[in-house]
Short mmCIF file of all heavy atoms in Angstrom, two decimals:
data_model
loop_
_atom_site.label_atom_id
_atom_site.label_comp_id
_atom_site.label_asym_id
_atom_site.label_seq_id
_atom_site.Cartn_x
_atom_site.Cartn_y
_atom_site.Cartn_z
N PRO A 357 10.97 24.48 -7.41
CA PRO A 357 10.90 25.78 -8.10
C PRO A 357 11.53 25.75 -9.50
O PRO A 357 12.48 26.44 -9.79
CB PRO A 357 11.63 26.72 -7.15
CG PRO A 357 12.51 25.85 -6.33
CD PRO A 357 11.93 24.48 -6.31
N GLY A 358 10.97 24.96 -10.33
CA GLY A 358 11.36 24.87 -11.72
C GLY A 358 12.31 23.74 -11.99
O GLY A 358 13.20 23.49 -11.18
N PRO A 359 12.10 23.03 -13.13
CA PRO A 359 10.96 23.17 -14.01
C PRO A 359 9.64 22.98 -13.25
O PRO A 359 9.57 22.19 -12.33
CB PRO A 359 11.14 22.08 -15.05
CG PRO A 359 12.58 21.68 -14.97
CD PRO A 359 13.02 21.97 -13.59
N ALA A 408 18.08 27.35 -25.49
CA ALA A 408 19.00 27.42 -24.35
C ALA A 408 18.20 27.32 -23.06
O ALA A 408 16.97 27.40 -23.07
CB ALA A 408 19.76 28.75 -24.36
N ASN A 409 18.91 27.16 -21.97
CA ASN A 409 18.25 27.29 -20.66
C ASN A 409 18.59 28.68 -20.10
O ASN A 409 19.11 29.54 -20.82
CB ASN A 409 18.69 26.15 -19.73
CG ASN A 409 20.20 26.13 -19.49
OD1 ASN A 409 20.90 27.08 -19.83
ND2 ASN A 409 20.68 25.05 -18.91
N GLY A 410 18.31 28.88 -18.82
CA GLY A 410 18.56 30.19 -18.22
C GLY A 410 20.03 30.59 -18.29
O GLY A 410 20.36 31.76 -18.49
N HIS A 411 20.91 29.60 -18.15
CA HIS A 411 22.33 29.90 -18.23
C HIS A 411 22.69 30.48 -19.61
O HIS A 411 23.55 31.35 -19.73
CB HIS A 411 23.18 28.65 -17.97
CG HIS A 411 23.29 28.30 -16.51
ND1 HIS A 411 22.21 27.95 -15.74
CD2 HIS A 411 24.38 28.27 -15.68
CE1 HIS A 411 22.63 27.71 -14.50
NE2 HIS A 411 23.93 27.90 -14.44
N GLY A 412 22.01 29.98 -20.64
CA GLY A 412 22.23 30.51 -21.98
C GLY A 412 21.78 31.96 -22.07
O GLY A 412 22.46 32.81 -22.67
N ALA A 413 20.64 32.27 -21.46
CA ALA A 413 20.15 33.65 -21.48
C ALA A 413 21.11 34.57 -20.72
O ALA A 413 21.36 35.70 -21.14
CB ALA A 413 18.75 33.73 -20.87
N TRP A 414 21.66 34.07 -19.62
CA TRP A 414 22.68 34.85 -18.90
C TRP A 414 23.83 35.21 -19.84
O TRP A 414 24.27 36.35 -19.90
CB TRP A 414 23.27 34.00 -17.76
CG TRP A 414 22.50 33.96 -16.47
CD1 TRP A 414 21.46 34.75 -16.10
CD2 TRP A 414 22.76 33.07 -15.37
NE1 TRP A 414 21.05 34.41 -14.83
CE2 TRP A 414 21.83 33.39 -14.36
CE3 TRP A 414 23.68 32.05 -15.13
CZ2 TRP A 414 21.80 32.72 -13.13
CZ3 TRP A 414 23.65 31.39 -13.91
CH2 TRP A 414 22.71 31.72 -12.92
N PHE A 436 21.64 33.11 -7.25
CA PHE A 436 21.61 33.24 -8.71
C PHE A 436 22.37 34.44 -9.27
O PHE A 436 22.92 34.36 -10.36
CB PHE A 436 20.17 33.14 -9.21
CG PHE A 436 19.66 31.73 -9.09
CD1 PHE A 436 19.02 31.29 -7.94
CD2 PHE A 436 19.91 30.80 -10.08
CE1 PHE A 436 18.60 29.98 -7.80
CE2 PHE A 436 19.50 29.48 -9.96
CZ PHE A 436 18.83 29.07 -8.81
N ALA A 437 22.44 35.54 -8.53
CA ALA A 437 23.25 36.65 -9.02
C ALA A 437 24.72 36.24 -9.05
O ALA A 437 25.47 36.67 -9.93
CB ALA A 437 23.05 37.88 -8.14
N VAL A 485 18.90 39.99 -9.58
CA VAL A 485 17.89 38.97 -9.82
C VAL A 485 16.57 39.49 -9.24
O VAL A 485 16.56 40.04 -8.14
CB VAL A 485 18.31 37.65 -9.13
CG1 VAL A 485 17.21 36.62 -9.20
CG2 VAL A 485 19.59 37.12 -9.78
N HIS A 486 15.49 39.35 -9.98
CA HIS A 486 14.20 39.79 -9.46
C HIS A 486 13.78 38.90 -8.30
O HIS A 486 13.61 39.36 -7.18
CB HIS A 486 13.15 39.78 -10.58
CG HIS A 486 11.81 40.29 -10.16
ND1 HIS A 486 10.64 39.67 -10.54
CD2 HIS A 486 11.45 41.34 -9.39
CE1 HIS A 486 9.62 40.34 -10.02
NE2 HIS A 486 10.08 41.35 -9.32
N VAL A 487 13.63 37.60 -8.58
CA VAL A 487 13.36 36.64 -7.51
C VAL A 487 14.51 35.65 -7.45
O VAL A 487 14.78 34.96 -8.44
CB VAL A 487 12.03 35.90 -7.76
CG1 VAL A 487 11.94 34.64 -6.90
CG2 VAL A 487 10.84 36.81 -7.49
N ASP A 488 15.16 35.59 -6.29
CA ASP A 488 16.20 34.56 -6.13
C ASP A 488 15.52 33.26 -5.70
O ASP A 488 14.87 33.20 -4.66
CB ASP A 488 17.25 34.98 -5.11
CG ASP A 488 18.39 33.98 -5.13
OD1 ASP A 488 18.21 32.85 -4.62
OD2 ASP A 488 19.44 34.29 -5.70
N THR A 489 15.71 32.25 -6.51
CA THR A 489 14.99 30.99 -6.34
C THR A 489 15.52 30.19 -5.15
O THR A 489 14.85 29.29 -4.67
CB THR A 489 15.12 30.19 -7.64
OG1 THR A 489 15.08 31.12 -8.72
CG2 THR A 489 13.99 29.22 -7.82
N ALA A 490 16.72 30.51 -4.68
CA ALA A 490 17.26 29.81 -3.51
C ALA A 490 16.66 30.37 -2.23
O ALA A 490 16.14 29.63 -1.40
CB ALA A 490 18.78 29.94 -3.49
N ASP A 516 17.57 39.43 -13.97
CA ASP A 516 17.25 38.02 -14.17
C ASP A 516 15.82 37.79 -13.66
O ASP A 516 15.55 37.93 -12.47
CB ASP A 516 18.25 37.17 -13.38
CG ASP A 516 17.89 35.69 -13.31
OD1 ASP A 516 16.74 35.33 -13.60
OD2 ASP A 516 18.77 34.89 -12.94
N CYS A 517 14.95 37.47 -14.60
CA CYS A 517 13.53 37.28 -14.29
C CYS A 517 13.14 35.82 -14.51
O CYS A 517 11.97 35.52 -14.75
CB CYS A 517 12.75 38.15 -15.26
SG CYS A 517 11.47 39.07 -14.49
N ILE A 518 14.13 34.93 -14.44
CA ILE A 518 13.88 33.54 -14.84
C ILE A 518 12.84 32.87 -13.93
O ILE A 518 11.95 32.18 -14.41
CB ILE A 518 15.22 32.75 -14.86
CG1 ILE A 518 16.14 33.33 -15.94
CG2 ILE A 518 14.96 31.26 -15.13
CD1 ILE A 518 17.56 32.79 -15.92
N ALA A 519 12.93 33.12 -12.63
CA ALA A 519 11.98 32.47 -11.70
C ALA A 519 10.64 33.17 -11.66
O ALA A 519 9.63 32.56 -11.36
CB ALA A 519 12.58 32.42 -10.30
N SER A 520 10.62 34.45 -11.93
CA SER A 520 9.44 35.23 -11.60
C SER A 520 8.54 35.57 -12.79
O SER A 520 7.37 35.90 -12.60
CB SER A 520 9.88 36.54 -10.94
OG SER A 520 10.90 37.17 -11.69
N VAL A 537 16.43 38.81 -18.61
CA VAL A 537 16.63 37.44 -19.09
C VAL A 537 15.56 36.54 -18.47
O VAL A 537 15.14 36.74 -17.34
CB VAL A 537 18.03 36.89 -18.75
CG1 VAL A 537 19.11 37.71 -19.42
CG2 VAL A 537 18.28 36.79 -17.26
N GLY A 539 13.57 32.28 -18.94
CA GLY A 539 13.55 30.94 -19.53
C GLY A 539 12.12 30.46 -19.63
O GLY A 539 11.21 31.10 -19.09
N CYS A 540 11.90 29.33 -20.32
CA CYS A 540 10.52 28.92 -20.57
C CYS A 540 9.96 27.96 -19.52
O CYS A 540 8.78 27.65 -19.55
CB CYS A 540 10.40 28.29 -21.96
SG CYS A 540 11.22 26.69 -22.12
N GLN A 541 10.80 27.47 -18.59
CA GLN A 541 10.39 26.30 -17.80
C GLN A 541 9.90 26.63 -16.41
O GLN A 541 9.74 25.75 -15.59
CB GLN A 541 11.55 25.31 -17.72
CG GLN A 541 12.64 25.63 -16.70
CD GLN A 541 13.74 26.52 -17.23
OE1 GLN A 541 13.53 27.33 -18.12
NE2 GLN A 541 14.93 26.41 -16.67
N LYS A 542 9.66 27.91 -16.13
CA LYS A 542 9.17 28.24 -14.78
C LYS A 542 7.76 28.81 -14.92
O LYS A 542 6.84 28.07 -15.22
CB LYS A 542 10.19 29.10 -14.07
CG LYS A 542 11.49 28.27 -13.90
CD LYS A 542 12.57 28.85 -13.06
CE LYS A 542 13.77 27.90 -13.08
NZ LYS A 542 14.93 28.40 -12.36
N PRO A 548 11.95 22.69 -20.23
CA PRO A 548 13.15 23.50 -20.42
C PRO A 548 13.73 23.36 -21.82
O PRO A 548 13.70 22.28 -22.41
CB PRO A 548 14.12 22.95 -19.37
CG PRO A 548 13.52 21.69 -18.85
CD PRO A 548 12.06 21.76 -19.11
N GLY A 549 14.27 24.45 -22.36
CA GLY A 549 14.88 24.38 -23.68
C GLY A 549 14.85 25.67 -24.47
O GLY A 549 15.51 25.80 -25.49
N MET A 550 14.05 26.65 -23.99
CA MET A 550 14.09 27.96 -24.67
C MET A 550 14.37 29.05 -23.64
O MET A 550 13.91 28.98 -22.50
CB MET A 550 12.79 28.26 -25.40
CG MET A 550 12.67 27.53 -26.72
SD MET A 550 11.27 28.14 -27.70
CE MET A 550 11.94 29.70 -28.34
N ALA A 551 15.11 30.06 -24.08
CA ALA A 551 15.43 31.18 -23.20
C ALA A 551 15.33 32.47 -23.99
O ALA A 551 15.39 32.46 -25.22
CB ALA A 551 16.84 31.01 -22.63
N MET A 701 4.87 28.04 -8.97
CA MET A 701 4.98 28.88 -10.16
C MET A 701 4.19 28.27 -11.31
O MET A 701 4.26 27.07 -11.55
CB MET A 701 6.46 29.04 -10.54
CG MET A 701 7.30 27.80 -10.36
SD MET A 701 9.07 27.99 -10.78
CE MET A 701 9.71 29.22 -9.72
C1 PLP B 436 16.26 28.62 -12.65
C2 PLP B 436 17.00 29.90 -12.54
C3 PLP B 436 18.18 30.16 -13.24
C4 PLP B 436 18.87 29.12 -14.07
O1 PLP B 436 18.11 28.68 -15.12
P1 PLP B 436 18.57 27.36 -15.89
O2 PLP B 436 17.50 27.15 -16.90
O3 PLP B 436 18.63 26.28 -14.85
O4 PLP B 436 19.90 27.63 -16.48
C5 PLP B 436 18.75 31.41 -13.13
N1 PLP B 436 18.20 32.36 -12.37
C6 PLP B 436 17.08 32.14 -11.65
C7 PLP B 436 16.53 33.24 -10.82
C8 PLP B 436 16.45 30.91 -11.72
O5 PLP B 436 15.34 30.70 -11.00
#
Side-chain angles (χ1 to χ4, degrees):
N409 60 12
H411 282 64
W414 277 348
F436 288 90
V485 173
H486 183 222
V487 164
D488 188 287
T489 323
D516 170 344
C517 225
I518 296 171
S520 49
V537 299
C540 69
Q541 80 272 29
K542 297 188 182 176
M550 282 191 77
M701 38 181 61

